[in-house]
Amino acid sequence: MTQPRAVKALLFDVFGTVVDWRSSVAVELQSALAPRGHQLDWEAMADDWRGRYQPAMQAIRSGARGYTILDVLHRENLDATLRAFGVTGLSEAELIELNEAWHRLRPWPDCVPGLGRLKRDFILGTLSNGNIALMVNLARFGSLPWDVILGAEITRSYKPSEATYLGSAAALGLAPGDCMMVAAHNEDLRAAQRLGMATAFVCRPTEHGPGQEVDLAPDGDWDYAAHSMQELADLLARA
Amino acid sequence: MTQPRAVKALLFDVFGTVVDWRSSVAVELQSALAPRGHQLDWEAMADDWRGRYQPAMQAIRSGARGYTILDVLHRENLDATLRAFGVTGLSEAELIELNEAWHRLRPWPDCVPGLGRLKRDFILGTLSNGNIALMVNLARFGSLPWDVILGAEITRSYKPSEATYLGSAAALGLAPGDCMMVAAHNEDLRAAQRLGMATAFVCRPTEHGPGQEVDLAPDGDWDYAAHSMQELADLLARA
């Protein structure tokens, strides 16, 4: 760990770091499909849907495809996942509703109280690949007290592209060094640190379920490491 | 008044509608300049500074100048106002600090309680010409409970350009008709209504001081008209 640094804004990864996407999406899939007679491995189906996320963004990062919001990528990926699991016959309205499962992800239990404490001292922004509507609906669903929605859509780029981080800091009128990236993913922090941002790792050992093998511990020289937003608030209060 | 319409998001003009820019800026000018021996008409100076706002944006609306955030326009206008009032000798740091007077504008007293009530039923967003950093700092200064900062910077345009309204609705994944523009300015509502948005006029008869002659009453077929955010919350609760 480096010495603590004074920052003005905390910028958060959201999927996995703030919200438990896997169990939430599994429940949404079950709610939508079980009444139609499907008996599927809902967690595996959530993983399959999420597994198509990075490849879909890669086409945009590489320039092969123009910037397209995550709601649209999620829908394309949902169609593929349903095909892969042999699910057919949903109406367009049902597909739209199911795709918005990503707007109804439960926060990890420490987030609402922890973010409330952090908000007293820092600007809190999202620096997520989610689009604005998704982030707004997620915040209202989970009572997440963001000051501002930044990240992919306002920069028309996807992490870990430099533009996503630099454009988010610039939108706050801040230098990267005035901002701290908060994420459960070491790669996200590595990209942020390379650009001069401070970094905080928040461990989410069950983001990918009970057998998770990645991001179980900080593996970089991050400024802070915690197991919850409340612990992060404790650490920053002492800094 | 037309019949009430169901909307999902309320999008707010901010300067004048939510915050009392004139008295706030006058106090900031006095705080910065009176200790240096200046005795000036602080309200007139605030009016002069604000008076340069529309012409500055017009250069951008017309395409003569590329999109430039309002903080930068405010600074150019401050320099001109200081020259006009014969004020010299401020350091760069003092000028930056004074320019951020626009980040410290007091909300009208009904806004915090009224917006709190409205937030229960509607997405609350800013649809202001202020840039993101300005809007975020203003919200934190005045405890304004926005769900999202929309408007000029995310659309790289200035009201009443169509792009500012349409791009803000689109960022929420909403049609214009799902959004209601809330403003103390009839012209702002006229532009929004032309694009299909619902409209609410909130009267601010002292925005421009005791001798105000404009926007003293609704002068269009707006869906709602109120004298405070609390009255607007009452009207929408009954709709």
Side-chain angles (χ1 to χ4, degrees):
Chain A
M1 304 259 165
T2 59
Q3 288 301 303
R5 284 188 280 173
V7 297
K8 295 175 180 166
L10 304 182
L11 302 180
F12 292 79
D13 175 63
V14 175
F15 301 120
T17 301
V18 175
V19 297
D20 177 7
W21 60 266
R22 187 175 187 263
S23 75
S24 303
V25 169
V27 166
E28 293 272 351
L29 288 164
Q30 182 172 18
S31 300
L33 303 179
R36 303 172 67 92
H38 293 286
Q39 296 203 350
L40 297 164
D41 181 338
W42 309 113
E43 282 77 17
M45 204 171 179
D47 287 340
D48 184 276
W49 195 356
R50 178 69 169 181
R52 301 172 192 274
Y53 168 73
Q54 290 294 346
M57 291 188 298
Q58 190 49 37
I60 293 161
R61 291 187 200 111
S62 73
R65 181 177 184 181
Y67 177 71
T68 307
I69 62 172
L70 190 59
D71 275 340
V72 171
L73 303 183
H74 273 156
R75 173 57 191 278
E76 295 170 0
N77 295 345
L78 171 60
D79 293 345
T81 294
L82 292 173
R83 277 195 300 276
F85 282 73
V87 176
T88 55
L90 275 72
S91 71
E92 179 61 22
E94 288 166 333
L95 290 165
I96 290 171
E97 169 75 8
L98 182 52
N99 196 45
E100 290 185 352
W102 294 93
H103 295 213
R104 297 182 295 265
L105 307 174
R106 289 185 300 266
W108 300 106
D110 53 279
C111 284
V112 173
L115 294 175
R117 287 177 56 197
L118 291 165
K119 183 162 175 159
R120 293 180 214 149
D121 295 322
F122 302 97
I123 296 168
L124 303 189
T126 60
L127 206 169
S128 162
N129 283 330
N131 50 294
I132 293 172
L134 189 165
M135 284 292 127
V136 169
N137 291 337
L138 209 52
R140 290 182 60 88
F141 178 81
S143 301
L144 302 170
W146 307 126
D147 289 302
V148 61
I149 308 297
L150 300 170
E153 189 168 354
I154 71 147
T155 62
R156 299 181 66 80
S157 66
Y158 279 116
K159 290 190 293 180
S161 303
E162 293 190 0
T164 327
Y165 303 91
L166 296 177
S168 295
L172 291 174
L174 297 177
D178 294 327
C179 301
M180 182 181 292
M181 186 73 210
V182 182
H185 309 125
N186 286 287
E187 286 307 316
D188 202 351
L189 298 180
R190 222 175 315 276
Q193 187 178 65
R194 200 176 299 127
L195 299 168
M197 293 173 71
T199 48
F201 179 80
V202 177
C203 193
R204 299 300 188 189
T206 61
E207 173 186 355
H208 296 282
Q212 179 166 330
E213 294 182 352
V214 298
D215 290 321
L216 293 171
D219 71 2
D221 185 25
W222 315 139
D223 297 289
Y224 297 92
H227 290 82
S228 69
M229 294 303 169
Q230 290 171 307
E231 187 184 352
L232 182 60
D234 290 340
L235 293 171
L236 292 175
R238 282 200 293 271
Chain B
M1 304 260 164
T2 58
Q3 288 302 302
R5 284 187 282 171
V7 296
K8 295 175 180 167
L10 305 182
L11 301 181
F12 293 78
D13 175 64
V14 174
F15 300 120
T17 301
V18 175
V19 296
D20 176 8
W21 61 265
R22 187 175 187 264
S23 74
S24 303
V25 168
V27 166
E28 293 271 351
L29 288 165
Q30 181 171 19
S31 301
L33 303 179
R36 304 171 67 92
H38 292 286
Q39 296 202 350
L40 297 164
D41 182 338
W42 309 113
E43 282 77 16
M45 204 171 179
D47 288 340
D48 184 276
W49 195 356
R50 179 68 169 181
R52 301 171 192 275
Y53 169 72
Q54 290 295 346
M57 291 188 297
Q58 190 50 36
I60 293 161
R61 290 188 200 109
S62 72
R65 181 177 185 182
Y67 176 73
T68 306
I69 62 172
L70 189 58
D71 275 340
V72 171
L73 303 183
H74 273 157
R75 172 57 192 277
E76 295 169 359
N77 295 345
L78 171 61
D79 293 345
T81 294
L82 292 173
R83 279 195 300 275
F85 282 73
V87 175
T88 56
L90 275 70
S91 70
E92 179 61 20
E94 287 166 336
L95 290 165
I96 290 171
E97 170 75 8
L98 182 51
N99 196 46
E100 289 185 354
W102 294 92
H103 295 213
R104 297 182 296 264
L105 307 175
R106 288 185 301 267
W108 301 106
D110 53 280
C111 283
V112 173
L115 294 175
R117 286 176 56 198
L118 290 165
K119 183 161 175 157
R120 292 180 215 149
D121 294 322
F122 302 97
I123 295 169
L124 303 189
T126 61
L127 206 170
S128 162
N129 283 329
N131 50 294
I132 292 172
L134 189 165
M135 284 292 125
V136 169
N137 291 335
L138 209 52
R140 290 182 61 89
F141 177 81
S143 301
L144 302 170
W146 307 126
D147 289 303
V148 62
I149 308 299
L150 301 170
E153 189 168 355
I154 70 149
T155 62
R156 298 181 66 80
S157 66
Y158 280 115
K159 290 190 292 181
S161 303
E162 293 189 0
T164 328
Y165 303 91
L166 296 177
S168 295
L172 291 173
L174 297 177
D178 294 328
C179 301
M180 182 181 292
M181 185 75 210
V182 182
H185 310 125
N186 285 288
E187 285 308 315
D188 201 353
L189 297 180
R190 222 175 314 277
Q193 188 178 62
R194 199 177 299 125
L195 298 168
M197 293 173 70
T199 49
F201 179 81
V202 177
C203 192
R204 298 300 187 190
T206 61
E207 174 186 355
H208 296 283
Q212 180 166 329
E213 294 182 353
V214 298
D215 290 321
L216 293 172
D219 72 1
D221 184 26
W222 315 139
D223 297 289
Y224 297 91
H227 290 82
S228 68
M229 294 303 169
Q230 290 171 306
E231 187 184 352
L232 181 61
D234 290 339
L235 293 171
L236 292 175
R238 281 200 293 272

